[in-house]
Amino acid sequence: MRTVTRNFVLGVAVVVVLLLALGALPSYLKSGDPYYLTATAEGNATALDGNASAVNASTLSAQRYPFTTAALENATANGSDGTGQSDPYWRGPVGLKGAFTHSPFDELDALRQRVPEAAADETVLVRHDGTLYRLAVTQQP
């Protein structure tokens, strides 16, 4: 192999490794205040106002919506108060992390796009196992 070709291949390999590291590294950064996706029970889903809509959360994938499904599972497990939250998400320094990682903010935006009528202010209404929940991003554990 010629020296120029070898150097080019090594250069491409280094760039690929750096891009992979840049994509994986931000998820391990834990700086700043943590954010949680919180699910609060609003009551029976059949009591939903006729003008309002809610996202059917029973069909959401845990791979696509990990923060939402974790918050709903915790809310269901808590039973008595019906409040649950996801694992913490740290925004990271200088906003770099947001471009490379999945966040609870992304999930709320996706749910708003799915059923725009379910969005109210900074929250989204979801229906899960016959219960209506209000999802919001909070900073309190």
Side-chain angles (χ1 to χ4, degrees), residues 2-141:
R2 291 179 34 188
T3 305
V4 173
T5 305
R6 181 181 51 108
N7 289 343
F8 177 75
V9 170
L10 286 174
V12 168
V14 166
V15 168
V16 168
V17 168
L18 286 175
L19 288 174
L20 288 172
L22 187 60
L25 180 64
S27 64
Y28 295 111
L29 296 175
K30 293 183 180 180
S31 64
D33 295 328
Y35 290 85
Y36 302 88
L37 188 62
T38 304
T40 306
E42 294 287 314
N44 192 334
T46 58
L48 187 62
D49 181 23
N51 296 329
S53 295
V55 177
N56 182 4
S58 299
T59 61
L60 296 178
S61 164
Q63 290 180 335
R64 172 126 166 72
Y65 296 96
F67 293 102
T68 301
T69 55
L72 291 171
E73 286 173 7
N74 287 338
T76 303
N78 286 343
S80 61
D81 68 351
T83 300
Q85 67 183 22
S86 66
D87 291 333
Y89 169 80
W90 285 269
R91 272 204 166 159
V94 196
L96 174 70
K97 182 177 179 179
F100 294 98
T101 61
H102 181 76
S103 73
F105 303 102
D106 297 333
E107 289 186 20
L108 281 184
D109 288 341
L111 292 171
R112 282 187 193 105
Q113 290 175 4
R114 207 173 231 223
V115 181
E117 301 83 28
D121 297 324
E122 297 296 317
T123 64
V124 175
L125 291 174
V126 298
R127 194 175 46 250
H128 181 66
D129 291 339
T131 304
L132 188 65
Y133 292 95
R134 185 171 303 277
L135 294 178
V137 175
T138 60
Q139 286 189 298
Q140 289 81 20

